[in-house]
Amino acid sequence: MVNELMQDDWDPEKIIRQQDELKVKLLRAQSVVAECKAGLADLERKLERRAVSSSIGERQSNSAANNSIRNE
């Protein structure tokens, strides 16, 4: 029984098949990680644009309010 287990564990074809399966899993995982990184970068860019446009809008609104006060 132990000899059979040892033979199964060291079956070159089985090892190569497992190695190939693991390589495929690794490639899929790397693809998912790359997709997540791209999505995260996209969200960060959107947040930066929103923050910039908010600060521009805030400055314009403050400027308009200041001009209104000055014109009174």
Side-chain angles (χ1 to χ4, degrees):
M1 176 86 176
V2 172
N3 285 340
E4 284 178 31
L5 289 174
M6 290 298 290
Q7 286 174 352
D8 284 347
D9 285 346
W10 293 102
D11 179 18
E13 288 180 21
K14 186 175 179 182
I15 291 171
I16 290 171
R17 187 171 52 250
Q18 288 175 337
Q19 185 179 22
D20 289 344
E21 290 171 1
L22 289 173
K23 284 179 182 178
V24 169
K25 286 181 182 181
L26 178 60
L27 289 172
R28 285 185 187 145
Q30 288 171 332
S31 173
V32 169
V33 168
E35 187 178 330
C36 290
K37 284 181 177 180
L40 181 59
D42 187 44
L43 286 175
E44 288 173 342
R45 282 191 299 275
K46 287 179 183 178
L47 284 173
E48 286 174 11
R49 282 195 303 266
R50 185 170 291 163
V52 167
S53 66
S54 291
S55 66
I56 290 172
E58 192 176 301
R59 282 194 300 254
Q60 288 174 345
S61 141
N62 288 341
S63 177
N66 289 338
N67 287 338
S68 173
I69 291 170
R70 283 187 211 137
N71 291 334
E72 288 179 359

